[in-house]
Amino acid sequence: MPRISKKVCLLGDFAVGKTSLVRRFVYNAFEDKYLATIGVKVSRKTVVLPVRDGLVELALLLWDLAGSEEFSAMRASYLRGAAGAILVCDVTRPDTLAGLTAYVDDMRRVAPNAHFVVAVNKIDLPDARLPYAEVDAFAASLHTSCYLTSAKTGDQVEETFRHLGRLLVAGD
Ligand code: GDP
Ligand code: MG
């Protein structure tokens, strides 16, 4: 089976659940307390995906960036070489969707051919305030899909990462 590896960045505002989504996907675990990510953490998970003539083993190198402003100057170097990004917003905080546009612009400057998938996270919470029509329109503007995820319950987390994985292997 051919093996490839791709760098993927988690992008989104403070506390939307970037670190939690990686933790759920890689370790199948969840942590309630907030552990601010300092700098960058890289996790690795391999998925097997169908391609035209068989299967491919894709190692996802998941770069989890701190979202806070102090790191904005360093952001370009973290984005360099990325093949794709998971754009994460929080279903209880509508402003976190608007925030994603800036991350897309940053990413495109550094990695013009990057693929995106949108994750609307914390879907387990009852106080959803994000208008889904706006999320759909945003995802459509990027020619991609959006998933309603919960890092807490695991809902749609695997699907989100695998969808990006399929875009990455299709682009090869
Ligand atoms: P990051 O700053 O984007 O990396 O956010 P974190 O992954 O650290 O999560 C921020 C807070 O939201 C933490 O307290 C998490 O436990 C919580 N959280 C993350 N994902 C979910 C989720 O899907 N559901 C719920 N209820 N809480 C979540
Ligand atoms: Mg984090």
Side-chain angles (χ1 to χ4, degrees):
M1 200 186 310
R3 291 182 183 182
I4 53 176
S5 93
K6 298 280 184 185
K7 173 175 173 178
V8 166
C9 294
L10 274 287
L11 297 177
D13 286 344
F14 177 78
V16 292
K18 301 179 297 295
T19 300
S20 299
L21 286 167
V22 172
R23 187 177 290 147
R24 169 61 68 194
F25 180 59
V26 176
Y27 305 106
N28 198 24
F30 180 75
E31 179 66 67
D32 263 312
K33 55 180 190 292
Y34 183 73
L35 300 168
T37 313
I38 304 296
V40 65
K41 184 180 182 216
V42 184
S43 311
R44 186 177 191 277
K45 180 161 170 168
T46 299
V47 291
V48 174
L49 296 168
V51 282
R52 211 174 336 160
D53 43 2
L55 296 172
V56 63
E57 194 177 287
L58 171 65
L60 292 168
L61 304 174
L62 302 167
W63 288 53
D64 182 18
L65 313 175
S68 58
E69 284 307 306
E70 309 101 82
F71 294 101
S72 59
M74 291 152 80
R75 199 170 279 139
S77 60
Y78 287 132
L79 296 176
R80 199 157 296 131
I86 310 271
L87 301 169
V88 188
C89 59
D90 178 338
V91 74
T92 68
R93 289 158 58 206
D95 56 302
T96 61
L97 175 63
L100 291 180
T101 311
Y103 293 102
V104 170
D105 292 346
D106 277 358
M107 181 90 173
R108 285 206 165 129
R109 261 193 292 279
V110 182
N113 299 317
H115 293 274
F116 299 99
V117 170
V118 181
V120 180
N121 192 43
K122 308 197 188 181
I123 204 73
D124 59 285
L125 294 176
D127 46 344
R129 291 199 192 86
L130 200 68
Y132 293 122
E134 278 180 31
V135 188
D136 281 340
F138 176 65
S141 76
L142 300 173
H143 308 289
T144 193
S145 308
C146 95
Y147 287 85
L148 305 179
T149 63
S150 170
K152 185 166 187 171
T153 65
D155 252 16
Q156 297 289 304
V157 174
E158 183 92 21
E159 288 80 354
T160 303
F161 285 92
R162 290 185 67 89
H163 184 87
L164 183 61
R166 282 195 302 275
L167 297 177
L168 300 185
V169 296
D172 254 23

